[in-house]
Amino acid sequence: MGNRGMEDLIPLINKLQDAFSSIGQSCNLDLPQIAVVGGQSAGKSSVLENFVGRDFLPRGSGIVTRRPLILQLVNNVAEYAEFLHCKGKKFVDFDEVRAEIEAETDRITGSNKGISPVPINLRVYSPHVLNLTLIDLPGMTKVAVGDQPVDIEHQIRDMLLQFITKESCLILAVTPANTDLANSDALKIAKEVDPQGMRTIGVITKLDLMDEGTDAKDILENKLLPLRRGYIGVVNRSQKDIDGKKDIRAALAAERKFFLSHPSYRHIAERMGTPHLQKTLNQQLTNHIRDTLPGLRSKLQSQLLSLEKEVEEYKNFRPDDPTRKTKALLQMVQQFGVDFEKCIEGSGDQVDTNELSGGAKINRIFHERFPFELVKIVFDEKELRREISHAIKNVHGVRTGLFTPDLAFEAIVKKQIVKLKTPCLKCIDLVIQELINTVRQGTNKLNSYPRLREETERIVTTHVREREGKTKDQVLLLIDIELSYINTNHEDFIGFANAQQRNTAANKKRAIPNQVIRKGWLTINISIMKGGSKEYWFVLTAESLSWYKDEEEKEKKYMLPLDNLKLRDVEKGFMSTKHIFAIFNTEQRNVYKDLRQIELACDSQEDVDSWKASFLRAGVYPEKDQTEAEEAAPADTFSMDPQLERQVETIRNLVDSYISIVNKSIRDLVPKTIMHLMINSAKDFIHSELLAYLYSSGDQNSLMEESADQAQRRDEMLRMYHALKEALTIIGDISANTISTPVPPPVNDTWMQESR
């Protein structure tokens, strides 16, 4: 009964799916299912019980099936049932199966006749079944009863469509013979998802309950309301038979007798009844699997090839072999060192295309974030001028000075140099964080050996933390060296003579004219009233900021000269995910159209910092204290005598000049110091000393103890490898041995379209 090759293949595919899902992968083999659809009390459950040969489904009036029942029939010598939600428990008594279905239904839906799309999975093993997957779905209804939701009809319809829209799903459209077939809900919904009728089989139940003198001969002969795959008639047990516990095998014999003895059906008796329906379903499944065999074979072969290399390593694997452990330890530490160096120095293989990491991120810290932090040190102009004024007066003491005192200059410069310590230490902290992230990233490859991964991470991180102290001491020493001697003979220092005539605004250094500093997408934040926010392609040069419609740079929208522009931070909006900064004109002029400032938005804070660093290179600096223009002049400036005011201005210019020299020096030396004392040191430590530290940290056997996950993964990998090989062998046999029947020719099914 049924197709032999088919029966071999389905259990194997089930086994394959189990193997794949156990390691978190899906095989997506698209196994066929058979969905049973029909109105309430159409006899759907009886058809399924006839397949199994047992009473096991709940019965009654109204909606009895309130959750989808995925019924997997497995041909087996012993007869028992298992539920997915009761793993390991075998049900031998099928009355208990019915009670469990009812209890599990009520657990999710309650006892008020409500429905739920959460399926119940039941597997029945029996010598009397074919290997099939059937889904018993709730019967379609029109009216809500009792506590049921008013939209019960739509809920059931949506649930049915979830299953029957899949191309691999065969639709059993069950209709009782004692109702009008033209109004069959089952046939209507089947036609919606399967207009060609390629996967719909009509099942006519209750033939024995038709009025005397009427029959369904024209329907079963596919003359009236024809279907491409035709109709199969079945006779289920009556309610009286069920109540009287009539045996299903006796019922099947009675069904056979009914068709053979009935004058309208005896000529088609061989194409009627439950056994024929089972054969038809089995053949349909066989055809579907035959259709998918080429794709399935190539998928299995590619899976097998991808496993070959790993399985080769596992075939002769002995977990307790000490030589294997020593070799693995050496290889892994060596690989970790290579990966760490590649991540820092950069390499062509395994490039991360999603985000910056390792050396690229450290480079950004050195050349964008650190210079920006240096420039960001806020000199409160008002406070600075007051300090210079006090320093000049205190140097002169009781005398009125005729000349600008260099001691006042030194005192102010030293005070400003000390402020450089904070950004320098912050730079070290940022680099350390990135180094530790790089170490963690590298140790992820050691996950097979948890103890080795933990120890490696601990040892390298401890070394980095030790170097942190030395690096910070060295960087602070650089600042102390700058403080120890103020070199006013430096070639870049403007000197007293130039300082007196210097106009600070005119002396602002700019990059080479027309040099392109940066290009990229930015969003201009404008209120909806003025046209709304829009993304443009921006080009920043040493002299201007231009934006275009797109990166082709053909349609220029605007060009903004950089003179008198400054940057300021803008807080993120309540609903905004973007990070924003603004450009404004220091002379209170409109920057763009009628806007006093342009707000530019980026996707991340990192992008904002990077753009700000680019603006610094173009000579556009962050704003200082906003109150300086309004407050600095009135109180202090006018209280000074003209000579003191000139001296303050001179020292202010000298301080600017000298601090820019120190900044330049610090910007160059701090990254070099960090590179030498921390990054290169970490690389050398990993290559030359890490192994010795690991050996001294504990027993090699415990270090190289495999994780339970890794051992399980190895076993599953081997199981899956053998299952794949077996599958390919069986597919080879099945291709030659299975019998296939052609799809029936199309029929005139315009009646269905008219009735929709």
Side-chain angles (χ1 to χ4, degrees):
M1 186 182 187
N3 188 309
R4 198 57 243 170
M6 165 73 200
E7 289 171 28
D8 289 340
L9 188 62
I10 282 195
L12 184 84
I13 289 176
N14 286 340
K15 198 159 66 175
L16 262 180
Q17 281 186 320
D18 291 344
F20 274 81
S21 61
S22 63
I23 59 159
Q25 296 176 13
S26 171
C27 208
N28 294 324
L29 296 180
D30 192 25
L31 276 181
Q33 295 174 324
I34 302 168
V36 187
V37 298
Q40 274 181 33
S41 306
K44 302 184 303 301
S45 297
S46 296
V47 171
L48 295 183
E49 286 186 334
N50 286 354
F51 284 170
V52 176
R54 290 281 189 172
D55 288 317
F56 67 97
L57 292 171
R59 295 191 169 276
S61 59
I63 297 188
V64 179
T65 308
R66 292 183 286 127
R67 284 175 61 184
L69 176 73
I70 297 180
L71 177 64
Q72 289 182 311
L73 303 182
V74 182
N75 189 272
N76 190 52
V77 179
E79 189 174 33
Y80 61 93
E82 283 180 344
F83 285 95
L84 191 64
H85 64 270
C86 302
K87 280 187 179 170
K89 184 177 179 184
K90 290 184 180 180
F91 292 80
V92 182
D93 183 348
F94 281 78
D95 286 337
E96 284 183 29
V97 173
R98 181 191 296 118
E100 181 59 36
I101 292 173
E102 288 171 345
E104 180 62 14
T105 300
D106 288 347
R107 190 178 68 79
I108 297 285
T109 62
S111 53
N112 66 347
K113 301 286 182 189
I115 67 160
S116 165
V118 181
I120 298 172
N121 287 65
L122 171 64
R123 191 173 280 189
V124 176
Y125 297 84
S126 167
H128 311 298
V129 300
L130 294 174
N131 291 315
L132 294 177
T133 303
L134 302 138
I135 305 164
D136 189 17
L137 293 164
M140 288 176 278
T141 182
K142 300 284 183 192
V143 184
V145 216
D147 296 334
Q148 283 178 352
V150 287
D151 63 341
I152 187 82
E153 180 188 357
H154 299 296
Q155 282 192 27
I156 292 175
R157 180 186 161 78
D158 291 345
M159 188 195 299
L160 265 54
L161 290 172
Q162 275 180 29
F163 290 93
I164 64 174
T165 45
K166 294 175 185 168
E167 284 298 316
S168 59
C169 184
L170 181 65
I171 304 165
L172 272 197
V174 180
T175 307
N178 54 0
T179 60
D180 182 6
L181 192 66
N183 294 322
S184 165
D185 290 329
L187 289 174
K188 278 183 184 174
I189 198 166
K191 187 67 180 177
E192 278 181 45
V193 296
D194 180 31
Q196 303 302 314
M198 296 295 288
R199 49 194 180 90
T200 304
I201 292 180
V203 176
I204 306 294
T205 60
K206 305 189 181 181
L207 288 166
D208 53 331
L209 301 181
M210 293 183 77
D211 293 339
E212 203 169 334
T214 62
D215 60 45
K217 181 182 169 187
D218 286 349
I219 295 168
L220 295 175
E221 286 181 347
N222 216 22
K223 291 176 182 171
L224 178 68
L225 312 179
L227 278 177
R228 189 162 185 172
R229 293 194 177 275
Y231 295 89
I232 296 174
V234 295
V235 175
N236 297 325
R237 292 173 302 163
S238 66
Q239 193 60 46
K240 184 182 171 186
D241 292 338
I242 294 163
D243 294 340
K245 304 281 184 190
K246 183 176 180 180
D247 182 60
I248 289 181
R249 288 177 187 76
L252 289 174
E255 178 190 52
R256 175 88 177 138
K257 185 180 175 187
F258 171 82
F259 285 115
L260 285 171
S261 59
H262 197 290
S264 300
Y265 307 135
R266 64 168 67 121
H267 66 293
I268 51 170
E270 294 307 313
R271 288 186 279 121
M272 295 294 120
T274 304
H276 180 72
L277 179 58
Q278 280 185 299
K279 283 179 188 171
T280 305
L281 296 182
N282 184 264
Q283 190 61 58
Q284 172 68 22
L285 282 166
T286 306
N287 288 347
H288 178 74
I289 287 188
R290 269 185 66 89
D291 293 342
T292 57
L293 275 181
L296 180 59
R297 183 190 285 110
S298 62
K299 187 181 277 190
L300 292 175
Q301 280 171 337
S302 64
Q303 299 265 10
L304 194 67
L305 281 172
S306 67
L307 285 179
E308 283 282 1
K309 194 177 175 186
E310 284 189 74
V311 169
E312 195 58 45
E313 201 180 302
Y314 291 146
K315 275 180 183 171
N316 306 312
F317 187 82
R318 295 195 307 281
D320 298 322
D321 182 1
T323 56
R324 183 200 64 78
K325 287 188 175 181
T326 306
K327 185 182 174 186
L329 177 63
L330 289 167
Q331 282 177 339
M332 286 188 156
V333 171
Q334 194 175 6
Q335 189 58 46
F336 171 66
V338 170
D339 289 346
F340 182 81
E341 186 155 353
K342 278 183 179 176
C343 202
I344 297 295
E345 299 294 340
S347 77
D349 58 336
Q350 297 176 351
V351 175
D352 186 350
T353 55
N354 296 322
E355 59 175 358
L356 293 181
S357 61
K361 213 162 188 178
I362 291 170
N363 178 282
R364 177 176 267 193
I365 293 167
F366 284 163
H367 302 299
E368 290 183 1
R369 188 73 185 270
F370 180 50
F372 185 69
E373 292 293 335
L374 288 177
V375 177
K376 231 168 57 172
I377 297 171
V378 177
F379 295 125
D380 183 335
E381 192 67 27
K382 176 182 165 185
E383 188 61 35
L384 184 59
R385 286 178 180 277
R386 187 188 288 119
E387 284 174 7
I388 294 170
S389 169
H390 289 326
I392 292 169
K393 288 175 183 174
N394 287 333
V395 167
H396 288 315
V398 295
R399 300 182 305 282
T400 303
L402 298 173
F403 304 105
T404 306
D406 53 356
L407 286 174
F409 161 72
E410 281 205 17
I412 298 298
V413 161
K414 285 179 177 178
K415 194 167 182 183
Q416 301 309 319
I417 290 173
V418 168
K419 289 183 180 177
L420 298 176
K421 289 183 178 180
T422 305
C424 290
L425 296 178
K426 186 175 180 180
C427 178
I428 295 171
D429 289 336
L430 289 169
V431 171
I432 283 173
Q433 192 53 53
E434 191 48 42
L435 267 185
I436 290 172
N437 287 344
T438 306
V439 170
R440 282 196 188 122
Q441 197 179 319
T443 55
N444 281 342
K445 287 192 178 176
L446 312 179
N447 277 341
S448 308
Y449 304 96
R451 180 86 205 291
L452 175 65
R453 183 179 60 75
E454 284 167 22
E455 280 301 302
T456 304
E457 196 174 310
R458 183 187 64 78
I459 291 166
V460 178
T461 304
T462 304
H463 174 77
V464 169
R465 289 292 179 197
E466 283 170 6
R467 301 304 296 177
E468 175 189 5
K470 291 181 181 173
T471 310
K472 283 185 174 176
D473 289 345
Q474 187 63 34
V475 167
L476 292 175
L477 180 63
L478 288 177
I479 307 284
D480 290 340
I481 289 168
E482 290 289 354
L483 286 168
S484 65
Y485 179 61
I486 307 300
N487 179 16
T488 52
N489 265 344
H490 195 285
E491 58 189 14
D492 294 336
F493 187 57
I494 58 170
F496 276 84
N498 291 333
Q500 286 166 335
Q501 296 136 17
R502 184 186 185 207
N503 181 336
T504 51
N507 202 43
K508 190 195 289 184
K509 285 192 178 179
R510 277 274 166 86
I512 306 154
N514 298 324
Q515 177 196 0
V516 174
I517 293 170
R518 187 183 182 121
K519 295 182 178 187
W521 290 100
L522 284 171
T523 302
I524 296 184
N525 257 13
I526 300 177
S527 68
I528 296 168
M529 301 293 287
K530 294 183 179 178
S533 300
K534 203 164 182 189
E535 200 173 29
Y536 293 104
W537 179 257
F538 278 75
V539 177
L540 175 65
T541 70
E543 293 188 332
S544 66
L545 177 68
S546 308
W547 53 95
Y548 298 82
K549 183 186 173 188
D550 52 40
E551 59 260 59
E552 289 181 11
E553 296 179 21
K554 288 178 181 172
E555 193 180 324
K556 187 185 279 191
K557 294 293 182 183
Y558 197 74
M559 188 178 87
L560 178 66
L562 299 183
D563 296 314
N564 302 317
L565 293 187
K566 285 206 170 179
L567 304 174
R568 68 162 57 117
D569 291 320
V570 177
E571 280 190 25
K572 255 170 71 170
F574 175 62
M575 297 296 286
S576 172
T577 55
K578 299 263 187 182
H579 297 259
I580 306 166
F581 67 100
I583 302 172
F584 68 99
N585 192 303
T586 53
E587 296 181 353
Q588 303 296 311
R589 291 182 185 163
N590 289 347
V591 181
Y592 172 58
K593 295 185 178 175
D594 59 345
L595 299 173
R596 282 294 171 90
Q597 68 173 28
I598 307 180
E599 291 186 4
L600 301 174
C602 306
D603 289 330
S604 68
Q605 188 57 46
E606 214 169 62
D607 288 340
V608 169
D609 291 341
S610 187
W611 269 101
K612 283 181 179 175
S614 300
F615 274 107
L616 283 183
R617 287 177 56 201
V620 179
Y621 290 82
E623 67 176 329
K624 308 292 185 190
D625 189 349
Q626 287 299 288
T627 57
E628 67 183 46
E630 300 133 28
E631 296 176 13
D636 285 342
T637 321
F638 295 123
S639 66
M640 293 187 204
D641 61 69
Q643 186 179 342
L644 180 59
E645 196 178 334
R646 278 197 304 277
Q647 290 177 347
V648 167
E649 189 60 37
T650 301
I651 289 182
R652 176 74 187 88
N653 291 341
L654 289 169
V655 168
D656 251 0
S657 171
Y658 196 80
I659 288 296
S660 72
I661 292 167
V662 173
N663 269 354
K664 193 175 177 182
S665 172
I666 292 293
R667 209 163 54 222
D668 181 52
L669 285 171
V670 167
K672 288 177 178 174
T673 306
I674 294 172
M675 199 71 202
H676 174 66
L677 290 176
M678 190 179 292
I679 298 172
N680 290 346
S681 165
K683 284 194 297 189
D684 294 344
F685 175 81
I686 289 168
H687 281 302
S688 57
E689 296 181 57
L690 175 59
L691 197 59
Y693 272 88
L694 282 168
Y695 273 120
S696 64
S697 71
D699 175 27
Q700 184 197 336
N701 282 334
S702 66
L703 263 186
M704 296 307 292
E705 204 167 287
E706 225 181 5
S707 70
D709 289 349
Q710 175 67 9
Q712 187 184 346
R713 185 175 178 276
R714 187 179 64 248
D715 293 343
E716 281 163 359
M717 188 86 67
L718 288 168
R719 273 209 312 273
M720 188 162 61
Y721 178 75
H722 294 306
L724 284 166
K725 288 192 84 165
E726 189 186 343
L728 285 165
T729 308
I730 289 184
I731 285 175
D733 296 342
I734 212 166
S735 301
N737 298 339
T738 52
I739 309 150
S740 178
T741 54
V743 178
V747 292
N748 178 13
D749 55 6
T750 49
W751 65 273
M752 190 63 88
Q753 288 154 8
E754 288 160 13
S755 66
R756 281 172 69 183

